[in-house]
Amino acid sequence: MTFSRREFIKWLSASAAIAGNSGCATATTPKSAGRVVVIGGGFAGATAAKYIRMWGPDIEVTLVERDQEFVSCPLSNRVLAGVIQLRELTRDYGKLHAKHGVKVVRDEVVSIEADRQEVKLASGSTLQYDRLIVAPGVDILADEVPGLAAASDRVLHAWKAGPQTVALRKQLEAMPDGGVYALTVPKAPYRCPPGPYERACQVAWYFKTHKPRSKVLILDANEDVVSKKGLFTKAWTDRYAGMVEYRPNSELMAVEGGSLTAKLAFEDVKADVLNVVPPQRAGKVALDAGLVNANNRWCGVDFLTYESTAVKNVHVLGDAIMAAPQMPKSGHMANQHAKVCAAAVVALLHGEQVNSQPLLTNTCYSFVSDKDVIHVASVHSYNPEKKTMEIVQGASGVSAAASELEGQYAEAWGRNIWADMLA
Ligand SMILES: Cc1cc2nc3c(=O)[nH]c(=O)nc-3n(C[C@H](O)[C@H](O)[C@H](O)COP(=O)(O)OP(=O)(O)OC[C@H]3O[C@@H](n4cnc5c(N)ncnc54)[C@H](O)[C@@H]3O)c2cc1C
């Protein structure tokens, strides 16, 4: 049998069409199951973007992040002790695109137009979505403490790892031996419950080894140590006796920047280095979009999908959510929210049922010296009657004692979670 040129071309096109319909591998792009836009490339957003692509390769995912690189808050208190450099906590976003096909856009989302299912970027462009994931972390509310915003060049928070972490380290290095470092802790809930107490240990370790006549003063707005109380208290009394002082019920009312004074309800405390961790709220982009509907601070979500209880087709993750009882605002927990949400978004875009029994874990390590570490861990399951997450009975606990072995676990935890999000 012989073919004319025209017949041959017709035959080729027909074969290609049959191959496409029968599911044979062809070079054609598969039909998209939907478009997902993720706001924020932190522990929650980067994980969600990667896992949606892994579990739903037919879904288009665009991640919008305003920073060039990811810098980890976990382990950043060690920069203050001079044990590590910030660069060791910094990773790029390259593999999210190269390995997982996430479109990474370096820009800032300035508004969410939920009725049109689109977001507007600072650069002026617009992105359309079928499902939006909002993971902006927290905003630091310096304006809630009179005098703080005006003193922001001298009174640092360093509660977002970055330039402030390095600047606070410099203040500690410049402080004379015999000086006072005062750290204020806001009322819970705030980002990383054990974080301030770990910071006090890290600064105390630095002082003990370099400026032994100095003092660490913890001014806590809470009535007691919020996390790992027994273990932190033991570190302060055994390792840093006479150096660390803990004062509960010490809410910061105002700051006097010139004299580095923390004004409390009944006393004024003057410091040589004043480090204020201010109250926090879900990132501004969530507030402006009407997603903040709990205590004027946090975003209510459905714990099966992390869909907002305020706006349809919009999911909120990480520190920005109104957490369930005993669910900490941690990087580990943000990574777990992201996986439950990623699975739910993939299911919803394919018209499938979402998992009705999600299970979350959390582990938070804290360095009490340059090497010794303590942890708190918990498992959380969904309670369908109360529609919330609860700690599984018997599935939570803390270290028996600080150890170097846990120090190795903590460093491995960091490497693993950064790889899980970004590699
Ligand atoms: C000192 C310290 C120590 C900590 N230690 C631990 C620890 O040991 N273990 C642990 O699990 N957790 C720890 N945490 C807590 C952890 O850092 C947070 O819980 C975690 O970062 C929350 O993740 P997230 O994705 O919600 O927010 P983030 O990680 O803050 O990510 C939010 C991202 O969104 C971006 N973004 C915000 N708005 C926009 C916008 N409009 N457009 C584009 N991008 C935007 C931001 O640039 C940022 O990259 C610590 C925190 C601190 C401060």
Side-chain angles (χ1 to χ4, degrees), residues 60-83:
E60 297 164 59
V61 179
T62 304
L63 171 68
V64 187
E65 167 57 52
R66 62 183 166 209
D67 290 338
Q68 172 78 39
E69 294 174 309
F70 166 80
V71 185
S72 174
C73 286
L75 304 178
S76 69
N77 282 327
R78 304 185 80 205
V79 175
L80 303 178
V83 178

Side-chain angles (χ1 to χ4, degrees), residues 40 42-44 65-66 73-74 109 136-137 159 191 318-319 329-332:
F43 283 88
E65 167 57 52
R66 62 183 166 209
C73 286
V109 174
W159 217 240
R191 161 173 283 188
D319 284 359
K329 294 191 183 298
S330 74
H332 192 122

Side-chain angles (χ1 to χ4, degrees), residues 39-45 64-67 70 73-77 93 107-110 135-138 158-160 191-192 195 198-199 285 317-320 329-334 362-365 413:
I39 306 175
F43 283 88
V64 187
E65 167 57 52
R66 62 183 166 209
D67 290 338
F70 166 80
C73 286
L75 304 178
S76 69
N77 282 327
Y93 289 103
D107 210 322
E108 182 164 26
V109 174
V110 288
V138 293
W159 217 240
K160 292 190 177 191
R191 161 173 283 188
C192 193
E198 179 192 55
R199 178 169 289 185
V285 71
L317 304 178
D319 284 359
K329 294 191 183 298
S330 74
H332 192 122
M333 196 43 104
N362 185 65
T363 311
C364 271
Y365 292 102
W413 173 89

Side-chain angles (χ1 to χ4, degrees), residues 173-234:
E173 283 178 297
M175 191 190 91
D177 190 8
V180 173
Y181 162 76
L183 168 66
T184 73
V185 185
K187 280 225 162 85
Y190 56 85
R191 161 173 283 188
C192 193
Y197 312 117
E198 179 192 55
R199 178 169 289 185
C201 291
Q202 288 303 290
V203 175
W205 180 83
Y206 168 60
F207 285 170
K208 193 175 166 179
T209 47
H210 291 83
K211 303 179 184 194
R213 294 188 298 115
S214 309
K215 221 176 151 165
V216 173
L217 195 51
I218 308 165
L219 304 171
D220 196 337
N222 299 288
E223 60 188 26
D224 210 341
V225 177
V226 171
S227 175
K228 296 181 236 182
K229 179 185 168 188
L231 291 160
F232 278 123
T233 310
K234 187 167 167 49

Side-chain angles (χ1 to χ4, degrees), residues 73-79 81 83-84 89 192 194-206 228 231-232 235-236 239-240 364-376 399 402-415 418:
C73 286
L75 304 178
S76 69
N77 282 327
R78 304 185 80 205
V79 175
V83 178
I84 59 167
L89 307 179
C192 193
Y197 312 117
E198 179 192 55
R199 178 169 289 185
C201 291
Q202 288 303 290
V203 175
W205 180 83
Y206 168 60
K228 296 181 236 182
L231 291 160
F232 278 123
W236 299 332
R239 293 168 189 258
Y240 309 114
C364 271
Y365 292 102
S366 303
F367 279 80
V368 295
S369 71
D370 59 333
K371 292 192 182 76
D372 293 337
V373 164
I374 55 179
H375 80 264
V376 57
S399 315
S403 72
E404 268 193 56
L405 180 62
E406 288 215 32
Q408 290 164 26
Y409 293 160
E411 287 177 349
W413 173 89
R415 288 192 298 273
W418 302 327

